Amino acid sequence: MANISSEFEKAIEIGRPPNIVKLFPNSRAMIVSGKVIDRAMMAKGKAMTIAANGRNHFVIRGALAAAQRANAAIIIEIAKSEGGSSAYCATNFWNMARQVDAVANELGLTVPVAIHADHYGIKGPQDVDTGKFEIPSMFDAGITSIAIDASHLPDDENLLANISLKPYVPEWAGYETEVGEIKGKEGLSTAEEALFLIRGLNAHDIFPDWIALNNGTAHGIQDSETGIQVPLTVEIHNALAKYKISGAQHGTSGNDSERLRMISQETRTTKANVATALQMITWGVKVNEYGNAILDEKGEFLKMPDKGVTEGLWADIVAYADEMGLKGGNYKKLNLPFENRLHRLPRDIRERMAKGVEDFVYGLLIDVFNSQDTAPLAIDAILKAGSYDMGTKGSRIEDPAEWTDTKIRERAAGLNVDKGRAGDFDD
Ligand SMILES: [Zn+2]
């Protein structure tokens, strides 16, 4: 590696996308396209990085500090349910980049960071119409990567929604698509339906950076033996190999380190979302080695006195949850009402909240995800491209005449898929 600091200077100059340059003209924060992060993981090989859901400000601080310590490229994200127009977190699509930029400058970060809008959920035609103005507003606010998630819809509608909305995503931006909701062992994705989506997009000159599957895990707190199905993931990624797409893994909280290590070592996954575990750690709730909250016999969380928030604030959180009838995973709804209460805590408490996240994320990056020292690889990718725009990995293979709206609907009718039960699985 040549002179890191001159490379950093050059990458700051050419590697920040236009929306970031416009928003933060004098910033030293290396906010980049999600594509850059994916390329860095691919360059290292058998590596994935954390996409940390910044449900509160202290998660963002801790995750960024961990990335710097591990010299790893990283993604900070928030999902539509967490931080969209009707959200339960104070971090949202429109203030997340501002928070990251401020913290990165404050801490003197030199690692590249992408700002990802996760689960941009599309549940019908109205959401497609809304997306046409909402997606540009998010990029205006500093988003550099997005997951269009129409996986709640039938396969043909999912594909058509992606085709309709892709023009509203800048060419340079990271782009994830999803097949199958993340909901445990029901309705597992198949190579057939993943191929349907990716072939159809390819025919329309759309080349996603990532695909998310329902490969056997679930969001939130895990209470079953179900976990990520590694062989199924390998099979689907292999079936998609010629389209040059990486995997995005959702629902990692509650999968043990060994399973997550297998995902990074055996599949083409470069992005691993972690949400619930990080929120729990900022609060000081007891989690096991892989971040799954430990509940007592009454199904209550165990708060550790020397970790996270103060005992006084925790008592208020629990009382409020009881009043609202919130238990278990639904504690996530407490993020918005309590954000300002977190910020007003004494400094040493705020520092231990962020530090808890930092230590946990550092351990994942170094010991489990294999993303140590990927920051220089991201900078190399920018210098090699000579631009913030990495271009696409894939190129067109499919015949557009075979993927018209009519043919898409005909093909979908012939797919053999099991979508499993309906429900609310969107963050
Ligand atoms: Zn997810």
Side-chain angles (χ1 to χ4, degrees):
M1 202 69 54
N3 186 335
I4 293 289
S5 70
S6 74
E7 294 189 338
F8 176 84
E9 294 302 331
K10 185 72 186 163
I12 280 281
E13 194 186 310
I14 64 172
R16 300 192 310 149
N19 62 337
I20 297 301
V21 172
K22 182 160 190 285
L23 269 178
F24 311 120
N26 304 309
S27 175
R28 303 276 301 157
M30 183 89 74
I31 295 181
V32 299
S33 165
K35 287 185 193 294
V36 174
I37 310 296
D38 175 51
R39 301 295 172 93
M41 299 306 136
M42 292 174 67
K44 180 164 183 185
K46 300 184 187 300
M48 59 189 189
T49 197
I50 191 171
N53 290 55
R55 285 185 179 179
N56 65 51
H57 180 74
F58 303 91
V59 169
I60 293 175
R61 294 186 78 83
L64 290 176
Q68 184 68 23
R69 228 167 107 193
N71 198 26
I74 189 177
I75 298 168
I76 302 292
E77 69 177 22
I78 203 80
K80 193 191 213 178
S81 55
E82 297 169 315
S85 59
S86 159
Y88 59 77
C89 296
T91 298
N92 62 50
F93 289 152
W94 301 277
N95 69 20
M96 183 166 53
R98 294 174 208 276
Q99 293 193 54
V100 170
D101 186 76
V103 173
N105 280 291
E106 177 194 335
L107 301 182
L109 249 61
T110 55
V111 297
V113 188
I115 311 293
H116 182 81
D118 205 50
H119 286 292
Y120 188 76
I122 301 296
K123 296 179 182 176
Q126 199 164 0
D127 288 341
V128 174
D129 288 342
T130 303
K132 291 175 183 174
F133 65 85
E134 192 172 60
I135 292 171
S137 81
M138 292 154 56
F139 280 92
D140 285 348
I143 294 294
T144 65
S145 182
I146 187 170
I148 303 287
D149 178 12
S151 66
H152 293 73
L153 299 175
D155 290 280
D156 49 353
E157 300 300 332
N158 182 359
L159 171 54
L160 291 165
N162 274 271
I163 292 169
S164 297
L165 288 175
K166 183 59 176 58
Y168 300 88
V169 176
E171 284 294 334
W172 53 260
Y175 171 48
E176 176 179 340
T177 189
E178 302 207 18
V179 59
E181 298 174 65
I182 311 296
K183 57 180 163 190
K185 61 189 169 190
E186 290 180 70
L188 292 175
S189 300
T190 62
E192 190 187 8
E193 64 181 326
L195 273 167
F196 171 81
L197 178 62
I198 299 308
R199 291 181 67 200
L201 291 173
N202 183 282
H204 287 261
D205 288 309
I206 299 172
F207 313 106
D209 302 291
W210 295 287
I211 185 168
L213 311 171
N214 177 16
N215 56 354
T217 186
H219 288 128
I221 300 160
Q222 307 295 295
D223 57 2
S224 75
E225 295 303 298
T226 341
I228 300 165
Q229 307 292 303
V230 179
L232 173 71
T233 311
V234 171
E235 181 204 325
I236 297 177
H237 286 181
N238 286 344
L240 298 173
K242 69 177 171 174
Y243 301 95
K244 299 194 166 55
I245 186 165
S246 299
Q249 184 62 53
H250 292 237
T252 54
S253 295
N255 283 272
D256 64 26
S257 304
E258 200 42 51
R259 180 108 50 169
L260 294 176
R261 210 171 276 125
M262 282 162 71
I263 285 287
S264 101
Q265 295 306 301
E266 295 176 27
T267 76
R268 297 171 201 261
T269 304
T270 62
K271 170 180 181 278
N273 300 0
V274 184
T276 310
L278 307 181
Q279 162 204 284
M280 295 300 181
I281 291 166
T282 58
W283 292 345
V285 165
K286 190 162 191 188
V287 296
N288 63 18
E289 63 149 295
Y290 44 94
N292 203 9
I294 297 164
L295 305 178
D296 70 12
E297 59 286 348
K298 288 186 290 183
E300 311 281 353
F301 294 115
L302 298 164
K303 166 71 172 66
M304 295 177 292
D306 55 343
K307 300 266 183 346
V309 301
T310 57
E311 293 307 282
L313 179 54
W314 183 248
D316 288 352
I317 287 174
V318 172
Y320 182 88
D322 286 348
E323 198 182 309
M324 303 297 285
L326 301 173
K327 275 189 107 60
N330 273 330
Y331 262 56
K332 68 188 181 185
K333 304 264 166 69
L334 301 173
N335 280 288
L336 184 56
F338 281 93
E339 178 81 2
N340 290 358
R341 298 282 299 273
L342 302 182
H343 280 282
R344 76 165 191 175
L345 288 167
R347 184 189 298 153
D348 60 322
I349 302 294
R350 283 180 271 129
E351 284 173 354
R352 81 180 182 190
M353 290 161 63
K355 182 76 170 132
V357 172
E358 179 189 328
D359 290 343
F360 181 81
V361 172
Y362 179 76
L364 281 179
L365 294 174
I366 295 288
D367 295 331
V368 184
F369 292 180
N370 187 35
S371 50
Q372 185 169 19
D373 295 328
T374 49
L377 301 174
I379 290 172
D380 284 351
I382 291 167
L383 299 183
K384 204 166 140 215
S387 168
Y388 54 84
D389 186 354
M390 299 291 105
T392 62
K393 290 183 290 183
S395 53
R396 192 148 64 73
I397 300 170
E398 302 296 333
D399 177 3
E402 292 300 313
W403 294 89
T404 60
D405 286 16
T406 309
K407 291 207 170 164
I408 285 170
R409 291 187 201 284
E410 282 169 13
R411 283 172 181 275
L415 286 174
N416 177 23
V417 294
D418 161 25
K419 288 288 184 187
R421 74 202 146 94
D424 175 19
F425 305 100
D426 49 4
D427 58 23

